[in-house]
Amino acid sequence: MRLRRDLRGSLWVAGFSRLWHGGDGSLAPLMLADGLKGATILDVVRDTSGTIWALAERRGLFRTTVTGWERYGPSERIVATIQADSSGQVWLGCADGRVVRVGEGGEREYGPADVGVGGVRTLVVQGRRVWAGGELGAALLDDFANVRARFSPIVTREGAFRGVSGIVPTATAVWLSGADGVVRLSPDEVRRVLREPGYAMRAEHFDARDGVDRGSFFGVAPTAILGTDGRIWFSWMGGFGFIDPANIRRNVVPPPVMVRALAAGGRTYTNSSRVKLPERTSALSISYTALSMAVPERVQFRYRLVGLDTMWQDAGPRREAFYTNLRPGAYRFEVTAANDDGLWSVTPAAMDVLIPPAFAETTAFKGLCAVATVGAVWLLILWRQRRLAAGMRARFDATLAERTRVARELHDTLLSEVAGVRMQLDAVVRTAGSTGIGPTLAAIRDQTSHVLVNARQAVVEMRTSVEEAQPIDEQLAKAARRVFAASEVDVRVSWTGARRRYPVSLEVEALQIGLEALTNARNHAACGCVEVKCAYSRRALLLEVSDDGQGFDVKQAAANGHFGLVGMRERAGAIGARLTIESAPGRGVRVQLAIPTAPPG
């Protein structure tokens, strides 16, 4: 027999080939259609319009019309349960996992993938919410008036509650009856699963230890109903019982929890609140337990490893924690437990764990590595500087050898010939006396002497090595005096910094660039003052030659045949220096040479 109370409060009784309806203590039989005779009526509902819906075993779904009974829906649809709501709609739960809503506008179908409970065994409408239970669990449709609403699966922290054949929603909780017993869900957990799809809910479980046997999924659904006295009645294979939500005995004693042992590297550490592990330990397991005199199987645990975990880890009834890929450091393992009624222990059990670093993991080792890296880079730079210096020295030695050869040739040829010319001019001057061409010949003789002196000085400089040479500012001063010897130009030479020697190739090129700048000032500037500045430092050699002459257009210099500037730039480029030439008509000329360098190693 099947009992059902409709939306108006009337009682319906369904059985084999019979259907009764009544109230106030009396029942009246209801005439059935020919298609329902000889069949067992599994379920019956009456909607708000007064239409009666009856579900018969192996016969399908029927409903009343103005002319009698008619079969509803396609013959291949196997309806397992029916339910009517206060909005005038009828809900059909099908064996293939579909849920169908029947209303004035026709049918709205939710497919098996949308519902997700497998074969539907029970449906419950609560306002605009629809609960569905089946072989794979339970699901909730929050607002069926919203066309975008979808079923949300009900999953507890122990997993899906399967074989659901009874659902009783009340104002204070939702009760589910299934193959694993009975669970109670709080309204807060229900609201959260609607906000967070996929959320694993906290649930209170009742089973044979509470006097409630496991439900029978294959029995007649629903297997749970709400009594008029507030009790929740459950049926199972071979019996039935109830739970009184107002008188559930609670365990008010939180379980004491303790850490039993730590295992790492094949060794077990017990009875210790502080453990120091060997170096390079990266994996460990910690076992723990809690004492409960009520139902120890329902004790729940959560733990965290301070120094690694940022949140508590829910372990359920599992009594061991595992960690891998740990780094050296100080950790603190903490664990708490909850009794069968969800009351958590106030103070966690704890164990301090220290994993010392190996030498290769220490800060000192990392510092040594950093120092070694810096030292290696420094040695590489120093080796490169010395190699460059050696190359420059080799090139300078080759240049000096060539200059020495040229000086020797000049001395043995040009200077000898010029000296002979001067001697002949002396003889001619003595013969001519002071009349006629004598003064002219004397002037030619003096000019030849001047050329001979300058040539001898050039030969001496060409044969002089860098060790014998003067600092570059003094060499520039001597060059300036020679260049402007027969002029009234005011030449000023100054230097700053500590005098030092630079690679010979740099000094030679710098001197030649400065000499070219001085020569250009004498030949083209028509200036009254020339200033030469030299700045020494460990990282650079800075030279500047400036005048107050008539200046020129730098961009047009090469086009006008001033190829000396091109040569200066080529010399600067050869030694990696930066050459800057600033000038404009009527504003003089300033030549700046910056040579990045370092003292020779």
Side-chain angles (χ1 to χ4, degrees):
M1 303 293 288
R2 175 67 182 271
L3 302 178
R4 166 79 80 164
R5 195 175 295 276
D6 63 20
L7 297 173
R8 302 176 185 178
S10 298
L11 181 65
W12 293 83
V13 180
F16 178 73
S17 193
R18 293 289 187 272
L19 184 63
W20 292 269
H21 166 256
D24 299 328
S26 61
L27 293 174
L30 190 67
M31 183 175 294
L32 298 178
D34 292 338
L36 293 176
K37 293 179 179 179
T40 300
I41 308 300
L42 300 178
D43 205 355
V44 58
V45 297
R46 180 169 63 176
D47 62 25
T48 55
S49 66
T51 300
I52 302 171
W53 300 71
L55 178 62
E57 185 178 19
R58 297 188 180 91
R59 303 290 179 86
L61 181 63
F62 290 78
R63 67 177 179 179
T64 59
T65 65
V66 293
T67 58
W69 289 88
E70 68 174 6
R71 196 181 191 288
Y72 181 82
S75 58
E76 65 271 14
R77 177 189 289 170
I78 302 176
V79 179
T81 182
I82 55 177
Q83 183 69 266
D85 64 32
S86 58
S87 64
Q89 301 176 108
V90 176
W91 296 79
L92 313 178
C94 302
D96 61 0
R98 288 179 295 169
V99 171
V100 181
R101 184 179 71 186
V102 183
E104 293 182 357
E107 292 186 352
R108 163 72 188 277
E109 182 177 295
Y110 301 88
D114 299 324
V115 182
V117 300
V120 181
R121 296 294 296 172
T122 183
L123 286 173
V124 176
V125 181
Q126 180 191 24
R128 289 191 174 184
R129 287 181 175 177
V130 178
W131 293 84
E135 57 186 1
L136 301 181
L140 170 61
L141 180 65
D142 184 42
D143 182 8
F144 60 73
N146 183 358
V147 295
R148 296 183 178 181
R150 296 292 183 269
F151 277 90
S152 299
I154 303 301
V155 179
T156 68
R157 301 204 170 185
E158 291 73 28
F161 190 69
R162 299 179 181 274
V164 178
S165 55
I167 302 175
V168 178
T170 68
T172 59
V174 177
W175 298 83
L176 304 181
S177 172
D180 296 324
V182 174
V183 297
R184 175 187 177 275
L185 306 175
S186 70
D188 290 339
E189 292 293 287
V190 173
R191 285 190 290 268
R192 184 169 179 179
V193 80
L194 294 175
R195 293 193 309 268
E196 305 174 23
Y199 167 70
M201 306 170 65
R202 296 180 184 272
E204 183 178 8
H205 289 257
F206 299 82
D207 52 28
R209 291 165 292 195
D210 303 288
V212 178
D213 204 348
R214 291 178 178 268
S216 175
F217 172 72
F218 298 101
V220 177
T223 56
I225 60 172
L226 175 64
T228 56
D229 56 358
R231 296 175 178 178
I232 312 297
W233 290 83
F234 302 95
S235 63
W236 53 83
M237 189 70 69
F240 64 93
F242 67 85
I243 293 177
D244 186 355
N247 294 287
I248 298 176
R249 290 178 297 176
R250 297 298 183 185
N251 185 353
V252 297
V253 179
V257 61
M258 61 180 293
V259 179
R260 297 182 58 193
L262 181 148
R267 182 178 175 183
T268 301
Y269 304 83
T270 59
N271 301 322
S272 178
S273 61
R274 181 177 178 83
V275 175
K276 182 178 180 180
L277 298 176
E279 298 174 356
R280 302 185 184 279
T281 299
S282 62
L284 56 84
S285 64
I286 302 176
S287 59
Y288 47 84
T289 189
L291 303 178
S292 175
M293 303 303 294
V295 188
E297 296 85 355
R298 291 186 182 172
V299 174
Q300 302 289 304
F301 295 92
R302 63 185 179 188
Y303 60 81
R304 66 181 178 184
L305 189 62
V306 180
L308 179 66
D309 293 328
T310 58
M311 300 176 61
W312 288 94
Q313 307 295 319
D314 286 314
R318 180 163 52 85
R319 299 175 184 241
E320 191 170 12
F322 300 90
Y323 287 95
T324 59
N325 299 322
L326 293 176
R327 300 179 62 84
Y331 301 94
R332 182 178 177 83
F333 179 78
E334 297 180 345
V335 58
T336 61
N339 63 17
D340 53 316
D341 282 320
L343 183 62
W344 289 92
S345 53
V346 178
T347 304
M351 173 184 284
D352 293 318
V353 181
L354 176 63
I355 304 178
F359 177 70
E361 299 171 320
T362 61
T363 304
F365 176 78
K366 295 177 182 177
L368 289 175
C369 290
V371 171
T373 302
V374 172
V377 173
W378 171 252
L379 290 175
L380 180 61
I381 294 174
L382 187 61
W383 171 80
R384 184 174 182 273
Q385 288 180 343
R386 290 185 175 179
R387 186 175 180 183
L388 291 175
M392 291 180 180
R393 169 65 68 177
R395 289 194 298 272
F396 177 76
D397 289 343
T399 302
L400 183 60
E402 180 63 18
R403 290 173 60 182
T404 301
R405 186 190 65 79
V406 173
R408 185 171 56 250
E409 294 296 329
L410 289 174
H411 180 274
D412 296 342
T413 57
L414 179 62
L415 293 183
S416 297
E417 297 294 334
V418 173
V421 171
R422 182 180 178 282
M423 293 175 63
Q424 293 178 23
L425 287 173
D426 281 340
V428 173
V429 169
R430 286 194 299 270
T431 303
S434 59
T435 60
I437 63 172
T440 301
L441 292 174
I444 295 174
R445 180 199 63 188
D446 294 340
Q447 183 65 32
T448 302
S449 298
H450 181 70
V451 170
L452 184 60
V453 171
N454 287 342
R456 289 183 183 277
Q457 181 63 33
V459 169
V460 171
E461 291 180 357
M462 290 177 68
R463 296 180 68 92
T464 303
S465 66
V466 67
E467 289 80 5
E468 300 169 346
Q470 296 173 322
I472 194 168
D473 63 287
E474 293 187 3
Q475 297 183 59
L476 285 172
K478 291 176 62 177
R481 285 194 294 270
R482 289 198 308 270
V483 171
F484 296 98
S487 69
E488 297 180 356
V489 177
D490 182 16
V491 180
R492 303 171 186 174
V493 180
S494 62
W495 56 273
T496 59
R499 282 173 169 168
R500 62 183 73 245
R501 303 314 307 272
Y502 296 91
V504 291
S505 60
L506 300 188
E507 290 191 358
V508 169
E509 297 297 343
L511 183 60
Q512 293 300 322
I513 292 173
L515 183 59
E516 179 68 21
L518 292 171
T519 303
N520 288 340
R522 181 195 64 187
N523 296 335
H524 308 292
C527 59
C529 178
V530 174
E531 188 172 3
V532 180
K533 297 179 181 179
C534 182
Y536 295 95
S537 71
R538 289 182 57 85
R539 296 298 180 186
L541 172 62
L542 303 177
L543 299 180
E544 181 178 310
V545 179
S546 60
D547 64 62
D548 60 354
Q550 61 186 2
F552 64 95
D553 187 347
V554 178
K555 296 181 179 179
Q556 298 297 324
N560 294 335
H562 295 283
F563 293 104
L565 301 183
V566 176
M568 294 166 67
R569 290 192 175 96
E570 290 175 348
R571 289 180 181 273
I575 58 176
R578 185 179 71 253
L579 178 67
T580 304
I581 302 175
E582 299 177 358
S583 182
R587 296 186 180 181
V589 179
R590 182 167 62 180
V591 178
Q592 292 178 321
L593 180 66
I595 309 173
T597 182

